[in-house]
Amino acid sequence: MNTPNWSSFRDLARRVLREDAPLTLTGDTRALMLRTAEEVAIPDAATALNTSAGALALLREIERRIAEGSNRLTDALNLMWKLQQQGDFDSARQQMRDVLAVEVVPYYRELAMEQLDGMADEP
């Protein structure tokens, strides 16, 4: 599994969404947004980049998927580990199943699946 490097995208999103910098669609910015959109399972991102409003909406959706997926997985992992320590492996497994039921970002899905598979041999 290759860990995506979203730092450049997150820097762009921070500047545009929090610091009110303009979203200037240079060739590098377009490439960054297209690559990141693909990594978070957003189809037809190129179409969104045809307008300023579409590009901004795409930026927001990519950022949302990265942030919400990360938060969801982190929360589920913390609870899963706590439940494992308590010996409740069924509930621990369910945490990862719950993530998989709603998560669309392939990287986060893969992490959740690895955790679920790793528990297969536990009680």
Side-chain angles (χ1 to χ4, degrees):
M1 163 180 42
N2 290 331
T3 304
N5 182 353
W6 290 325
S7 61
S8 295
F9 176 82
R10 307 259 355 232
D11 288 344
L12 173 66
R14 179 188 38 78
R15 285 192 311 274
V16 172
L17 300 176
R18 290 171 198 67
E19 298 172 7
D20 292 324
L23 177 57
T24 306
L25 293 176
T26 65
D28 288 345
T29 301
R30 285 177 180 277
L32 174 65
M33 289 183 66
L34 287 171
R35 183 184 72 245
T36 310
E38 182 179 329
E39 292 171 344
V40 299
I42 297 176
D44 301 324
T47 303
L49 295 176
N50 289 334
T51 66
S52 295
L56 188 57
L58 178 63
L59 182 82
R60 285 187 176 116
E61 179 60 15
I62 294 169
E63 175 65 11
R64 183 192 71 76
R65 287 186 185 202
I66 291 171
E68 287 182 8
S70 176
N71 291 340
R72 178 177 21 258
L73 183 59
T74 299
D75 291 347
L77 285 168
N78 287 328
L79 186 51
M80 179 196 78
W81 291 323
K82 180 181 175 184
L83 291 164
Q84 284 178 327
Q85 288 175 343
Q86 296 170 355
D88 188 354
F89 290 94
D90 288 338
S91 295
R93 284 184 196 97
Q94 189 59 46
Q95 294 305 307
M96 292 303 105
R97 288 185 195 110
D98 290 349
V99 168
L100 290 167
V102 296
E103 187 56 60
V104 296
V105 175
Y107 176 67
Y108 297 141
R109 289 186 58 79
E110 190 171 341
L111 291 174
M113 197 60 150
E114 286 178 359
Q115 291 297 317
L116 188 57
D117 291 345
M119 282 188 282
D121 297 327
E122 299 294 336

